[in-house]
Each structure stands twice: as C-alpha cells, then as structure tokens.
Amino acid sequence: MTDVPRQWRSVLPHLGQPLPPDRTPHSAGRNGSVQANLPMELVRQSVQSREYWDIPEEVADAYRRFRPTPLWRARAFEKEVGARVPIWVKYEGGNISGSHKLNTALAQAYYYHRAGVRELVTGTGAGQWGTALAAACARFGIRCTVFMVGGSLERKPYRGVLMRMLGARVISSPSTLTEVARSGRSGGNSLALAIGEAVEYAARTDGAAFCIGSGETYSILHQSVIGLEAIDQLAEQGGEVDAVVGCVGAGSNFGGIALPFHARAAAEGTAPPALIAAESSTTPKLTRGVYAYDRTDATGSSPLEAMYTIGSEYAIPDSHSAGLRYHGAAKLISALRHAGQVSATAVDQVAALAAGRAFTTTEMTLPAPESGHALAAAARAAGDGDADGDAPRARTGVLVCVSGHGYLDLGAYQQFLEGELTDRAPDPAAITEAVGGLARIDAPVNTAAAPGRPAVPTAGTAGRAAGRAADLEEAR
C-alpha cells in the first residue's frame, strides 16, 4: 500500500546547469518593486541543489486527509479513444479545492505562518488555486484575499462562494482597488492582471504577503508528491509507462507528475519517459512562444524570469481552458523544454471537452476542462503520436494526471453539449508584436520543437519576493 511521501524530491540536482537568473525590471523603482517577503525556506527550495526535502509534520498531517490519491488503469477510456497501449490515470480532484493546488497551498501557508505573515494575497484564474489557498489559510489561521479573473468568476460563481465559505475575501479582477487595473496597462480578463492586482495590494498592506501557486520552483517541488506516489503505485500494480502527460498553465501540475520520473531516471542513469506538456491552443507558449525574459504579472515590478512566453502583453482569447490561460511557463519547465527534455502539444477547448466527456462516460469521473487537455494529449500519445508533430511510435504505456474535477465547470460542458463552443486561433501577428521587445535567450543546442515551430518555456510567478541577491546567496 502506497504511503504519503515523507519528502519532496527536487529535479534541480539533475538539470546539468543552473536556471537562468532572474533580472530586475527597468520599471522597478524604489517605491514600485515587490517587497522581499518570501520565507527563506521557500527561497532555499528554489535555489539549492538538494534532492530531498523533508515534509513538515503539520503539512504531512494535512496531506493525510486526502493523500495518497488514486491511480488506476483507464481501460474503458482506452477502448473509447482507440489506445494502443495502457493509459494510467493519477487523480488529484478529491480534496476541498478540487485540484492538485492544495499540495503547495498547504506547504506555503505553513511557511508563511511560521514567518509571521498575517494575510496571504493571490490571483487565481479558474479558482482552484484561490480555493486551495483559502483552505490552507483556514488551516493555519491566516487571512486570505483572492483576486479572481472576472470572466471565470462570472462563469463559476460557486468557486467564489466556496472561497468565502473558507473565510477568504474574493475580489473580481479587474477591480477598482488597484492602480494596475485602473490604468488599463494590461487589459481584459487575464491571470497576469489578477496576479498583478494581488502583487500591488499585498505590497501596500501591512502584514500581508503575495503568494503564488503554480510557476515557482518551490511550488513544483511541493507537487512532486504526485509523481512520487505514482511511481510507487505503478510498481504495486505492475504498470509500465514511457510517456507522462500533464496540462500546463504555468507548470506545477505537469512538473508534479512528470519531474519525479525525470529525477529518478537521471539518478539511475536510465532513459527517462517522454514528458509531454499539454497546453491550451489559446495560450500556446510552449508550442508557439519564444524563450525570453518576460514579466510574470501585470505590474512590471516583479523580477523578469526566463520562460517560454507568448508575451505578457498578449491579449489571450477567452476560453474554458481557465487555469491554462497564463502567458508563460515556469522557468524550470521552460529550461527543460529548452534542453529538449520536455515536448509539448496544444489542444483546442472543443477537443479538451470532448476528451473530458469521453472520460466521464467511461471512467465515471468528471475532469476539469484543464485536465481535458491532458486527457486529449494522453489519448494521442497512446494512439497515433505525441507532440511537436511527432510521428506515431511504439509505447509501453502512458501516465496522465487528471489535475482536478469539473463539478464547478458544468457550464463549459453545457456549452459543449449544445454545440456553442468554437476555437479561436491565436493571432500570429499579435504574438509577434507581444514578444517583439523581449530579451531572447540563446537558441538551444537540442530542442524538441517541430521544424519551423519555435519552442518556448514560460516563467513562474513567485521569484518576485526572492529578488535580493544577498538573500539568494545566504540561501545557497
């Protein structure tokens, strides 16, 4: 019987070279930069090449309420999609937040609470991260303020209700509370703007700290419990996989399921499985973006990070990909993509919801639309091909992470069933304009991108509080 992991596992010792350092943005002035209030343990987890990190007992105790999470072979789904090899599913939807986000929310709330922070402020897209942080703050006795992308909040009002049930203050973004929203510098319903509002609000609120749930190296570390459990569960059930699939917004879900497999292979000197990132076709940072330094939020005051990005200024088309609608990918995921160790595929929302419906009717589990992107990519990997235009290849098995449930996303499935959804292709000229002024990173020696298609990893969103070189040196 698989136990809850006692340690997180980091992939940093197996990268071969350090991650590109963050850069101070030109717009960060004395009064405009984000305050360095990240707990030092989170900084250490982001920069030290230690492979194993003990999970604090208070966090482990909270994990035991919902972990280990189920893993099963999806035989009926395999038949429905015409898979040629087994598809194994790791399901992360069985907790109060309905997603994998609670894994890092609990860890972060614990460290911030120990550091004396009285309020955590964040931005959320689909609301899963906001819900997870609200639950974690309730657990550790911290106030919580959540800026949620307005379009998502309108479509998913019960996400807001659940966050308020957990004691959080929920604010629709764009709001009237922040200069970054009032200025209109980063327009529309975007996760970057919601994050920017949270950054600004936290910076001016006594006792508050900004907190992010996905792209940071430490949040990906906390999510390693997913892949570590999956490795043990596959061994128990006699399963073999040579492809691991997860959906990508900024990258914590994908990193959580995939990177423990990469770390194990590197430590053992064996070939790793294919690591396949499934992104939304409305936000194709890994398949159509560039590898460059870009902003992680709309304030322009946070450190610039090396990421695959379609540009923080790009107006992302509306879609039910929700939590995947972030302009960049985590710097850790981006670096692996740049080195050719991660491949990527873009999935339309109609295809994602079709895969979600197929999974619902065959496996009796309703996935979030974000997870539908991963299921569509897994079906492809188990059938005709992988990503980046790959040709069909022989496989032994595919592991896919279903990152959350879809019970608060039934409006999206209703539109799908009634034939009301269409897919809007990104505007190549708009992407070119959005990335035009970014500082590019040298072309990789080895890339997994298809011919003629640039590959881009994107940045996470938390290095902002760890920007001081002295703190980083101390942490090392």
Side-chain angles (χ1 to χ4, degrees):
M1 180 72 178
T2 298
D3 294 326
V4 176
R6 297 181 180 180
Q7 295 177 307
W8 296 302
R9 188 173 189 176
S10 173
V11 76
L12 290 179
H14 304 295
L15 292 185
Q17 59 184 2
L19 294 175
D22 294 351
R23 294 181 177 178
T24 302
H26 296 301
S27 59
R30 184 170 193 151
N31 297 320
S33 59
V34 177
Q35 300 301 308
N37 54 8
L38 192 68
M40 190 52 62
E41 189 67 4
L42 296 181
V43 178
R44 293 188 182 98
Q45 292 172 1
S46 296
V47 300
Q48 286 186 353
S49 59
R50 185 196 309 176
E51 186 160 7
Y52 292 98
W53 297 79
D54 290 341
I55 299 175
E57 178 54 33
E58 293 92 332
V59 177
D61 182 62
Y63 280 175
R64 294 185 193 105
R65 303 294 192 275
F66 61 96
R67 307 207 68 87
T69 58
L71 180 141
W72 73 90
R73 181 174 170 185
R75 296 179 184 272
F77 181 67
E78 290 170 14
K79 183 176 180 180
E80 178 71 16
V81 300
R84 300 175 182 176
V85 298
I87 297 176
W88 296 86
V89 172
K90 180 68 166 165
Y91 180 63
E92 290 291 307
N95 62 67
I96 184 65
S97 73
S99 83
H100 69 290
K101 298 288 189 179
L102 192 57
N103 296 322
T104 187
L106 287 165
Q108 290 189 51
Y110 167 79
Y111 289 121
Y112 276 104
H113 178 65
R114 285 189 60 192
V117 170
R118 300 190 299 275
E119 178 180 1
L120 288 177
V121 186
T122 197
T124 190
Q128 293 165 329
W129 165 243
T131 305
L133 189 63
C137 286
R139 171 88 181 191
F140 290 104
I142 307 172
R143 296 194 306 274
C144 183
T145 298
V146 179
F147 287 84
M148 183 170 175
V149 174
S152 291
L153 185 57
E154 289 176 9
R155 286 193 295 263
K156 305 173 187 181
Y158 293 119
R159 281 281 181 201
V161 173
L162 181 53
M163 284 184 263
R164 290 194 293 273
M165 281 271 291
L166 291 164
R169 179 189 183 196
V170 182
I171 301 167
S172 179
S173 175
S175 74
T176 60
L177 301 180
T178 64
E179 176 58 30
V180 67
R182 289 192 295 266
S183 69
R185 291 195 302 269
S186 184
N189 286 286
S190 75
L191 182 54
L193 177 57
I195 291 170
E197 291 206 79
V199 168
E200 180 185 329
Y201 180 90
R204 69 167 192 248
T205 303
D206 185 50
F210 171 73
C211 181
I212 197 67
S214 184
E216 294 313 310
T217 302
Y218 56 78
S219 66
I220 294 174
L221 172 71
H222 303 153
Q223 296 294 354
S224 67
V225 293
I226 304 172
L228 293 171
E229 285 182 4
I231 288 171
D232 289 342
Q233 289 168 321
L234 284 168
E236 288 175 356
Q237 299 184 43
E240 295 184 10
V241 300
D242 56 0
V244 182
V245 183
C247 59
V248 172
S252 68
N253 162 67
F254 173 73
I257 188 69
L259 297 193
F261 285 86
H262 183 80
R264 182 183 67 167
E268 296 175 351
T270 58
L275 309 180
I276 305 171
E279 64 184 5
S280 167
S281 61
T282 66
T283 321
K285 52 255 187 172
L286 292 171
T287 54
R288 294 180 61 181
V290 299
Y291 193 31
Y293 278 94
D294 198 4
R295 302 187 306 175
T296 56
D297 64 78
T299 68
S301 62
S302 302
L304 302 175
E305 297 187 7
M307 62 177 84
Y308 275 98
T309 177
I310 53 174
S312 56
E313 300 287 338
Y314 179 71
I316 298 170
D318 196 19
S319 78
H320 285 292
S321 59
L324 308 188
R325 296 178 67 250
Y326 183 65
H327 65 275
K331 58 187 174 186
L332 178 55
I333 304 302
S334 295
L336 289 164
R337 170 71 163 153
H338 194 55
Q341 296 165 322
V342 164
S343 61
T345 187
V347 178
D348 294 338
Q349 67 172 341
V350 173
L353 291 170
R357 184 191 186 195
F359 191 75
T360 303
T361 58
T362 56
E363 298 297 323
M364 302 294 115
T365 301
L366 177 67
E370 297 92 332
S371 303
H373 291 72
L375 287 166
R380 179 180 177 188
D384 295 332
D386 289 344
D388 291 334
D390 288 353
R393 56 179 295 179
R395 291 216 169 277
T396 58
V398 175
L399 171 66
V400 58
C401 185
V402 173
S403 57
H405 70 62
Y407 290 106
L408 296 178
D409 301 287
L410 288 172
Y413 283 106
Q414 179 180 9
Q415 287 186 284
F416 169 76
L417 292 172
E418 294 177 357
E420 296 176 355
L421 292 183
T422 57
D423 287 302
R424 187 170 144 203
D427 181 356
I431 293 178
T432 299
E433 181 179 357
V435 302
L438 302 180
R440 305 290 181 92
I441 297 172
D442 292 339
V445 175
N446 176 29
T447 179
R453 184 192 297 170
V456 193
T458 54
T461 24
R464 49 191 59 80
R468 297 180 300 175
D471 283 349
L472 295 179
E473 284 305 313
E474 177 188 339
R476 291 181 198 282

